[in-house]
Amino acid sequence: MRTYDLTPFYRSTVGFDRLFSLLDQAAVDGSPGYPPYNIERTGDNSYRISVAVSGFSQGELSIVAKENTLTIKGDKSANENGKDKSEVLYRGIAARAFERAFQLADFVVVKSASLENGLLHVDLVREIPEAKKPRSIPIAASAQAAQMVDNSTEKAAA
């Protein structure tokens, strides 16, 4: 595996600390492949994360959204075979505990979550506040701007 030293970029950039720390985390974690997931765009500002959680019930899953991180945890019951008193000869369906974290962009909120057919669907929406949305600024004619400046100087002199 290749490793990259991002130290020179830390010295020559301002404001990109979060980006570089995310790159460092991605290189270190290696992001395990269990459970598999999909990320879909369902609209202009809406997204869906689908996680394959077959074998997990609704009570064994938890979803926590804190700051800009969405964490999905699954914790399987310790003694699943005690109920049936049967012996598993081959376990091909993974039933191990997991924790999957997703970094969310600013202003992305979790709208809903549902469990159907072994897939956990988490719906997200990006809601930009009115103060952060771009707005159009009208451009005044130069005569009006000069008149506004003259009126303000007369008021200041009085």
Side-chain angles (χ1 to χ4, degrees):
M1 181 174 164
R2 296 180 183 169
T3 58
Y4 298 101
D5 184 19
L6 299 175
T7 307
F9 293 113
Y10 283 115
R11 290 189 301 250
S12 62
T13 59
V14 175
F16 290 97
D17 298 338
R18 183 170 179 233
L19 173 69
F20 291 131
S21 63
L22 289 174
L23 286 173
D24 285 337
Q25 287 176 0
V28 171
D29 288 347
S31 196
Y34 179 77
Y37 64 92
N38 290 339
I39 300 175
E40 313 168 47
R41 179 186 294 249
T42 57
D44 287 340
N45 289 321
S46 58
Y47 304 91
R48 174 176 265 194
I49 297 174
S50 300
V51 183
V53 292
S54 62
F56 286 87
S57 67
Q58 190 172 357
E60 297 169 333
L61 297 170
S62 69
I63 302 170
V64 176
K66 183 180 177 185
E67 296 174 0
N68 286 354
T69 303
L70 173 70
T71 305
I72 301 173
K73 293 181 185 179
D75 192 18
K76 200 68 175 156
S77 301
N79 192 0
E80 183 181 298
N81 295 333
K83 300 174 190 172
D84 300 339
K85 295 186 180 180
S86 63
E87 182 182 351
V88 177
L89 300 176
Y90 171 76
R91 185 172 303 272
I93 299 173
R96 62 184 183 259
F98 69 88
E99 181 175 338
R100 174 74 71 171
F102 298 93
Q103 292 294 321
L104 301 179
D106 293 335
F107 312 117
V108 173
V109 294
V110 178
K111 280 298 181 185
S112 65
S114 63
L115 180 64
E116 57 185 60
N117 300 327
L119 290 176
L120 176 66
H121 299 290
V122 180
D123 294 317
L124 308 165
V125 175
R126 184 172 186 212
E127 295 177 346
I128 301 172
E130 289 296 323
K132 298 287 184 178
K133 287 185 181 177
R135 57 188 173 108
S136 179
I137 309 296
I139 301 172
S142 60
Q144 290 176 349
Q147 193 175 38
M148 292 175 71
V149 171
D150 290 340
N151 287 342
S152 64
T153 55
E154 289 174 6
K155 288 179 185 176

